[in-house]
Amino acid sequence: MSPLERLAIVLAGLLGASGVAAAAGSSHAGAALLGPYSLIALTHAPAVLALALAPLPKIFNWALIALMIGAFLFCGDLALRYFAGASPLPLLAPAGGMMLIAGWLFVFIGGLFGRRG
């Protein structure tokens, strides 16, 4: 297992666990910031895990990296806002969202042009 794959599996586990916790917090405590957190975490955790474990062309590594960075930035910003009341860098969530979009575009490109080998 490569270091990238190991990191991705660890992050997928963290995203999944924190996403479930955020969903519970959003549902039971009415914390508005935790709803979007749980949505991003719980939709991207399985995608990151699948990209880490599947034998795919190398272009998908770019998708994996972009999705990991994007989810980390987006969820990190929302968590900082929830727990600290503010984020030190207010553009982290939008930057994370752009990375998530880029990651999914890499999946698209990999699906069109990627070759096994």
Side-chain angles (χ1 to χ4, degrees):
M1 180 179 308
S2 75
L4 176 62
E5 293 165 338
R6 186 174 305 279
L7 177 62
I9 292 167
V10 167
L11 181 62
L14 181 60
L15 283 172
S18 66
V20 171
S26 176
S27 174
H28 298 294
L33 288 173
L34 296 181
Y37 181 111
S38 67
L39 177 66
I40 294 299
L42 291 174
T43 55
H44 288 83
V48 166
L49 186 60
L51 288 170
L53 296 176
L56 294 167
K58 294 296 181 192
I59 182 109
F60 288 95
N61 283 346
W62 290 102
L64 178 58
I65 291 166
L67 289 177
M68 288 181 359
I69 292 170
F72 180 79
L73 291 176
F74 190 92
C75 292
D77 182 64
L78 293 181
L80 281 171
R81 284 196 232 167
Y82 177 72
F83 289 111
S87 176
L89 299 170
L91 295 178
L92 284 181
M98 295 299 289
M99 288 298 292
L100 291 171
I101 293 168
W104 287 110
L105 289 174
F106 277 120
V107 170
F108 169 74
I109 293 166
L112 286 178
F113 302 111
R115 296 198 175 138
R116 293 196 186 267

